[in-house]
Amino acid sequence: MTVYRVRFASPSKPGYIPVESQSAVESHIQDNKDKLQARQRSRSGCRECRQRRVKCDEAFPVCQRCRRRATVCHPSLSKSQWRFETPWLACYPLETVFSVPNADIKVDARLMRYWLDATCQMLSVDPTNNPFSFPILRYATDSPSLLHFIQSASAAQEEYFYQPNLSLSLSERGKAFSALRQELQSTSSSLSHSFLTLLMLGMSSSWMSLGPTDYGREHLLAAQTVADMILQKDYSRLDELDHLTMGIYVYWDMACSFCIDPVYHPTDRAGLLETYVKQARRRFHAITTHSIDLYYLLGELGRYCRVIVEGGARDRVYEASCGRSLNEHVSIETESSAQSLTEAFRKHGLLLLYRFCGKPGATESSNSTVMGTENYAHQLALEIVELMLGTKSDSPYLNIQTIPLLSAGAEMTSLDTSIRDRIRTRLNEVYSTNRILATLWVIDLLEELWAIHDAGVKHVTWLELMLIKNWRLRIG
């Protein structure tokens, strides 16, 4: 299998120094390894350890000391992180690798390297098969808007999404929007290429937000229309880019399903997307793996839960059908972390159904019925937590754990003190990995919800509390 993850050499002077031979490259790598092994103390430990003047083991995403302190770990970026691992590219500026149609577009080699080495890695659950790494470059050469987005995202993550330092990121983001408008107006531009940029800009809108209110609604509404336009094609003509974009859209739609007001919910979509996800289930996707149909179902359920919370009428036929689909869903994943994640999301769907609708077929509000629902919901939550915490903290699947951790964490009572602590620690690990502020807001939401439940107000759900606070968390 092709490995796309790659590091580059940082030039000490303008321009690159050509690599003389493969042996010289290998010698350079070995020299650096020897120096690292010889170093006895950390010189680039996390911020907390350096402030405390203690040795840091630099474990990623959370060092051992921060793990014991149950705090967020802020690792330092290594100034020598680029290595001669790709001689054919290290010899040349990235401007020569890109053939950008518009000569006025400047390719920022540093930001492009950062994308390939770091930013794109948090977008895929499989680092060895990452379409957001080198494969995305062929789309960026034909889409200036995508190129500017890549540079914007890299500049933002490089600064840990710290608002005062995002001027470069915002500048590149503005250029991406401008270029996207031009591409959408051009008859020669690829709709699929523009759709990829639209999705990425929409998903990243929550990264750039000062508060937990922006989930990219306008982008999501536009994406619904564009997705339907693309799906009008004969499915046999849908290529790898179309499969990539549909998986991104389905996941993003699911993550936003609790946020979008019912008035904006999609209505008659002719079943195009539902038909596609059923057919595409066996095609691997870097985000949805082999479970795109499950994420689609959860998106539909999330919007239904939002309708119920807003006081809408229940549809018992839909509830029974959804419960049946979730109970009958069988994962086809072969990798253990993927299996655990899929099972956690399946149970998360059942938990949503029971929490917001009660047990299917239960029409009485007797104490025994309520108690049965509570016990079942709590058991589901415990199973979700165990599935999530069974995944190693350095796994690429960590980035997709926030949603099931939130719904399961909301069920933990005052008797589940140790499990609450484990959930806090895991969410801190997720944040230490991707720096997405929404993860910290999820922790704040859980802390407030736990305090409310511990005070005796048991009926408030995490979704109701989020809406009361006027938060619109694009989770995950």
Side-chain angles (χ1 to χ4, degrees), residues 16 36 108 116 122 140 154 206 253 368 387 393 396 399 421-422:
Y16 287 87
L36 288 172
D108 190 313
L116 294 168
M122 74 176 188
S154 295
S206 60
D253 180 60
S368 60
L387 285 166
S393 61
N399 279 329
D421 287 339
R422 294 173 70 191

Side-chain angles (χ1 to χ4, degrees), residues 189 228 261 342 384 452:
S189 297
D228 288 343
D261 297 331
T342 300
I384 291 170
I452 291 173

Side-chain angles (χ1 to χ4, degrees), residues 197-470:
T197 307
L198 174 63
L199 293 170
M200 304 294 270
L201 284 169
M203 289 183 68
S204 64
S205 60
S206 60
W207 306 349
M208 317 296 289
S209 176
L210 288 170
T213 57
D214 186 1
Y215 62 93
R217 187 193 72 191
E218 294 81 3
H219 304 286
L220 185 60
L221 296 178
Q224 292 172 2
T225 301
V226 179
D228 288 343
M229 292 171 63
I230 292 176
L231 289 173
Q232 293 290 343
K233 301 181 192 177
D234 181 350
Y235 285 161
S236 64
R237 294 171 53 202
L238 294 177
D239 58 17
E240 285 300 318
L241 176 57
D242 292 324
H243 179 62
L244 176 65
T245 54
M246 287 303 154
I248 297 172
Y249 170 64
V250 167
Y251 179 81
W252 179 35
D253 180 60
M254 181 272 298
C256 295
S257 60
F258 308 103
C259 305
I260 191 165
D261 297 331
V263 68
Y264 296 116
H265 286 180
T267 52
D268 181 17
R269 308 187 66 185
L272 293 173
L273 187 57
E274 183 177 6
T275 301
Y276 178 78
V277 299
K278 289 179 179 178
Q279 294 185 359
R281 186 185 184 202
R282 294 190 177 277
R283 294 179 65 183
F284 175 80
H285 191 279
I287 296 176
T288 62
T289 58
H290 298 94
S291 304
I292 188 172
D293 57 333
L294 176 61
Y295 288 113
Y296 172 81
L297 175 62
L298 293 175
E300 296 289 305
L301 177 57
R303 280 187 289 273
Y304 179 75
C305 291
R306 174 66 188 272
V307 169
I308 297 302
V309 168
E310 295 281 5
R314 288 180 61 181
D315 184 342
R316 297 187 185 278
V317 174
Y318 169 77
E319 291 172 13
S321 173
C322 188
R324 192 162 51 249
S325 296
L326 288 167
N327 280 311
E328 294 175 356
H329 186 274
V330 178
S331 172
I332 61 173
E333 306 293 350
T334 56
E335 204 276 331
S336 59
S337 295
Q339 289 176 346
S340 296
L341 185 69
T342 300
E343 183 64 5
F345 268 100
R346 187 185 72 82
K347 291 179 181 292
H348 155 73
L350 289 171
L351 181 56
L352 290 178
L353 201 58
Y354 288 124
R355 173 51 57 208
F356 292 99
C357 307
K359 283 191 174 183
T363 57
E364 301 295 331
S365 57
S366 63
N367 289 335
S368 60
T369 300
V370 173
M371 185 60 68
T373 299
E374 291 300 317
N375 290 341
Y376 188 81
H378 188 256
Q379 182 59 39
L380 275 174
L382 291 174
E383 292 170 2
I384 291 170
V385 172
E386 288 306 309
L387 285 166
M388 293 293 86
L389 297 184
T391 302
K392 294 181 179 179
S393 61
D394 60 351
S395 168
Y397 286 89
L398 207 68
N399 279 329
I400 310 184
Q401 289 194 353
T402 311
I403 294 175
L405 282 174
L406 170 59
S407 65
E411 302 295 329
M412 296 301 111
T413 70
S414 57
L415 300 177
D416 301 310
T417 304
S418 62
I419 299 179
R420 285 181 177 181
D421 287 339
R422 294 173 70 191
I423 292 173
R424 288 188 190 97
T425 299
R426 175 46 58 96
L427 288 171
N428 278 329
E429 290 174 343
V430 174
Y431 175 72
S432 297
T433 301
N434 59 32
R435 304 293 164 178
I436 304 300
L437 282 174
T439 308
L440 295 183
W441 292 327
V442 166
I443 298 175
D444 291 342
L445 188 69
L446 281 175
E447 296 287 3
E448 188 170 344
L449 186 68
W450 287 336
I452 291 173
H453 288 177
D454 292 350
V457 184
K458 305 293 186 181
H459 66 276
V460 179
T461 65
W462 65 266
L463 178 53
E464 289 169 322
L465 179 60
M466 186 180 80
L467 296 176
I468 289 170
K469 294 168 68 65
N470 197 30

Side-chain angles (χ1 to χ4, degrees), residues 69-111:
R69 292 191 293 262
T71 59
V72 171
C73 189
H74 294 83
S76 299
L77 293 178
S78 172
K79 296 183 181 300
S80 60
Q81 60 183 314
W82 312 114
R83 302 283 185 248
F84 284 105
E85 293 181 7
T86 310
W88 65 269
L89 189 57
C91 306
Y92 305 99
L94 281 186
E95 290 90 337
T96 64
V97 177
F98 280 88
S99 177
V100 182
N102 191 336
D104 296 330
I105 297 176
K106 176 177 172 52
V107 177
D108 190 313
R110 177 179 58 81
L111 293 179

Side-chain angles (χ1 to χ4, degrees), residues 78-232:
S78 172
K79 296 183 181 300
S80 60
Q81 60 183 314
W82 312 114
R83 302 283 185 248
F84 284 105
E85 293 181 7
T86 310
W88 65 269
L89 189 57
C91 306
Y92 305 99
L94 281 186
E95 290 90 337
T96 64
V97 177
F98 280 88
S99 177
V100 182
N102 191 336
D104 296 330
I105 297 176
K106 176 177 172 52
V107 177
D108 190 313
R110 177 179 58 81
L111 293 179
M112 294 306 298
R113 292 193 198 99
Y114 195 90
W115 170 271
L116 294 168
D117 185 74
T119 308
C120 75
Q121 299 303 322
M122 74 176 188
L123 298 175
S124 175
V125 296
D126 186 355
T128 67
N129 185 19
N130 186 353
F132 299 101
S133 184
F134 269 94
I136 206 173
L137 302 189
R138 65 178 179 269
Y139 307 132
T141 58
D142 294 326
S143 175
S145 63
L146 181 58
L147 177 64
H148 284 302
F149 165 76
I150 288 174
Q151 296 184 165
S152 172
S154 295
Q157 196 198 30
E158 194 176 38
E159 297 294 342
Y160 290 157
F161 303 99
Y162 180 56
Q163 291 292 331
N165 295 347
L166 295 186
S167 57
L168 176 57
S169 176
L170 293 174
S171 174
E172 288 292 326
R173 188 176 180 82
K175 294 175 183 177
F177 278 119
S178 178
L180 180 59
R181 282 193 292 268
Q182 294 178 21
E183 291 169 21
L184 291 174
Q185 294 170 359
S186 171
T187 56
S188 61
S189 297
S190 166
L191 182 61
S192 296
H193 289 175
S194 299
F195 189 38
L196 177 57
T197 307
L198 174 63
L199 293 170
M200 304 294 270
L201 284 169
M203 289 183 68
S204 64
S205 60
S206 60
W207 306 349
M208 317 296 289
S209 176
L210 288 170
T213 57
D214 186 1
Y215 62 93
R217 187 193 72 191
E218 294 81 3
H219 304 286
L220 185 60
L221 296 178
Q224 292 172 2
T225 301
V226 179
D228 288 343
M229 292 171 63
I230 292 176
L231 289 173
Q232 293 290 343

